Every structure is written in C-alpha cells, then in structure tokens.
C-alpha cells in the first residue's frame, strides 16, 4: 500500500567512545524536504527484528560512516584500512538483501555506495592514496558543502536522465573507492582519474548510490534535491 509520506529507514552513525548512535541532520533534512519521513534504525541483527524492519519500511538510506569490512569482499584487512563497524555491517547487509528481494528502493551514500558495490559482488580499494594514487582530491577538509572535483555523468544512466547534466561538481570525503564493479551493477558517474562515483543495479526498481555527499549540499541544492526526490517518490509507490 502506497503512503503519501513514505517511511525511510536511515542507517545510524556510531560513536564507540561515547557509546551512542547519532545522525547528521542533512540526511533527515533532505528526506523531509521531499516528503519522506526518516527514521534512524536500531543496530539490530536478529532475523525477527530485521524482518520487521524490512516489512515496515518503504525505503532504505545507507549513509556514510566507517570503512566496509574487507572480509565482505574477500580481502584481508590491510594496515591502510581504517575503522570498521561490525554492528553496522550486521544490520545493513541482511537488511539490504531483504530490500533487494522485495524490490524496495535503496539509496547509498559514501559508505552506503561502497556497501552496495560490495553486496552485489564488487570490490573496493582499501585506501585510495596508497593503493591507487591520484591527483584528484578524494578527501577534502571542511566545509563539506563546497565542491572539490567534477564527475562526468553517463547521459543515458538513471542519474544522467534525472539530473539532466553530463558533468557535476561534487564534494568528497572518502579514502576508499570502487576497485571492481560487479556485472550486476553499472557505472553512472566517474571522476577525472576514472574512479566510479555513481552506480546503479538495473535488475532492481530503484537501487543506486553516489560516492559524494548530497546531504551536505542540502535540499536547497537542485541536484541533491532531485536525487532525494526520485528516491522518496520511488518509496512512495511501496
């Protein structure tokens, strides 16, 4: 049954030092501005709780955060890999699979973008500066609401059709990136050094991710607003 205001599950951020879960307001602001109701998810991992969440929610927003565990893409953790969050992996992996099986919309941002890649069979660079090397700044200092590099967008991709542009200036706050895409996914955007920064899975109604942070640009930014609006509109059809 469709709702006028779809319920969007938002993966939490975790502060181990303070023993707390928290959320950056930009994610909520962007979802609320286009008619969705964001709900921060609990870090549960038992099948009954995950099934309840999968049935109750209309969409899943996978947020930024710590590094994805290299074990999920069949690699040993290298010294260059940074902080992991097993609690998030245990929540997001099975919940994401449930959403994909149900055909419910999923949007991944930064870590969430990388998790989509990994979950569908791709691999990551554990550390771009030491493993890939590039003249592109992939991790710039604050303020994060300012662009730092361009991406080229595939015109015929869902993102290209949605935004109506083939080039976009974006922010960047990551040290990992896509090394190998799964055959189940397609690239939508790339940086000048060739790194994939936008991807989608054609086999699902709405499954896409971006490496940059549209939530820092906020709903006032027309491109960020269009992305969140497309996601929430897809969730509204559930």
């Amino acid at each position: 049954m469709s709702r006028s205001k779809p319920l969007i599950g938002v993966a939490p951020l975790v502060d181990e030092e303070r023993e707390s879960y928290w959320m950056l307001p930009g994610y909520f602001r962007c979802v609320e501005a286009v008619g969705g109701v964001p709900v921060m998810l609990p870090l549960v991992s038992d099948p009954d709780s995950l099934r309840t969440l999968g049935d109750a929610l209309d969409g899943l927003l996978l947020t930024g955060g710590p590094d994805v565990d290299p074990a999920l893409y069949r690699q040993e953790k290298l010294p260059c890999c940074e902080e992991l969050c097993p609690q998030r992996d245990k929540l997001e992996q099975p919940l994401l699979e449930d959403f994909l099986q149900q055909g419910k919309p999923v949007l991944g941002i930064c870590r969430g973008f990388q998790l989509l890649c990994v979950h569908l069979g791709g691999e990551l660079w554990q550390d771009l500066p030491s493993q890939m090397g590039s003249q592109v700044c992939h991790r710039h200092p604050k303020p994060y609401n300012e662009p730092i590099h361009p991406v080229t967008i595939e015109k015929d991709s869902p993102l290209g059709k949605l935004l109506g542009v083939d080039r976009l200036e974006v922010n960047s706050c990551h040290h990992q990136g896509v090394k190998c895409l799964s055959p189940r996914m397609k690239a939508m955007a790339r940086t000048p050094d060739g790194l994939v920064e936008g991807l989608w899975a054609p086999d699902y109604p709405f499954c896409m991710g971006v490496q940059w942070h549209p939530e820092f640009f906020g709903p006032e930014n027309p491109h960020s607003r269009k992305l969140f609006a497309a996601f929430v509109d897809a969730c509204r059809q559930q």
Side-chain angles (χ1 to χ4, degrees):
M1 180 180 69
S2 63
R3 308 186 227 211
S4 61
K5 284 186 172 289
L7 202 61
I8 313 297
V10 185
L13 302 168
V14 181
D15 189 328
E16 296 282 2
E17 191 173 312
R18 297 182 180 179
E19 297 184 345
S20 63
Y21 309 156
W22 63 288
M23 181 54 54
L24 287 165
Y27 293 113
F28 277 19
R29 287 183 60 238
C30 286
V31 170
E32 291 169 351
V34 293
V37 178
V39 178
M40 190 173 78
L41 297 175
L43 288 179
V44 297
S45 58
D46 63 285
D48 287 344
S49 296
L50 290 167
R51 192 175 304 113
T52 298
L53 289 172
D55 290 343
L57 298 169
D58 301 306
L60 178 62
L61 175 57
L62 299 171
T63 59
D67 290 353
V68 175
D69 190 341
L72 298 180
Y73 48 99
R74 305 163 300 282
Q75 290 185 15
E76 294 290 330
K77 185 177 184 291
L78 302 176
C80 58
C81 187
E82 297 181 2
E83 178 188 2
L84 306 180
C85 185
Q87 304 101 307
R88 280 192 61 173
D89 291 335
K90 291 176 182 178
L91 163 71
E92 291 172 313
Q93 281 273 101
L95 192 57
L96 170 57
E97 180 59 29
D98 184 26
F99 266 72
L100 294 178
Q101 289 184 8
Q102 293 193 63
K104 289 186 174 183
V106 178
L107 175 63
I109 293 173
C110 196
R111 170 195 155 91
F113 159 90
Q114 295 168 4
L115 187 67
L116 280 177
C117 172
V118 167
H119 186 78
L120 291 173
E123 296 181 15
L124 303 179
W125 295 107
Q126 292 191 38
D127 182 65
L128 292 172
S130 61
Q131 291 186 299
M132 179 184 171
S134 173
Q135 297 302 310
V136 175
C137 177
H138 288 289
R139 198 178 205 176
H140 76 87
K142 294 180 179 178
Y144 299 132
N145 62 345
E146 294 182 0
I148 191 67
H149 66 66
V151 293
T152 301
I153 299 174
E154 296 288 339
K155 290 182 179 180
D156 294 332
S157 71
L159 188 64
K161 293 175 181 177
L162 175 65
L163 301 184
V165 297
D166 56 14
R167 188 177 186 276
L168 187 65
E169 295 288 334
V170 301
N171 53 14
S172 193
C173 188
H174 63 105
H175 83 108
Q176 297 195 318
V178 174
K179 182 179 181 181
C180 298
L181 265 184
S182 161
R184 300 169 66 188
M185 305 206 82
K186 292 186 177 181
M188 298 193 295
R190 293 180 185 270
T191 53
D193 59 3
L195 192 69
V196 175
E197 292 227 348
L199 50 73
W200 68 294
D203 293 339
Y204 303 98
F206 189 106
C207 179
M208 67 170 65
V210 295
Q211 180 66 80
W212 63 91
H213 286 268
E215 80 281 3
F216 281 127
F217 290 131
E220 300 81 14
N221 178 282
H223 296 122
S224 294
R225 190 179 187 93
K226 285 180 181 179
L227 179 60
F228 278 97
F231 171 55
V232 171
D233 285 345
C235 296
R236 192 174 283 117
Q237 305 307 314
Q238 297 303 306

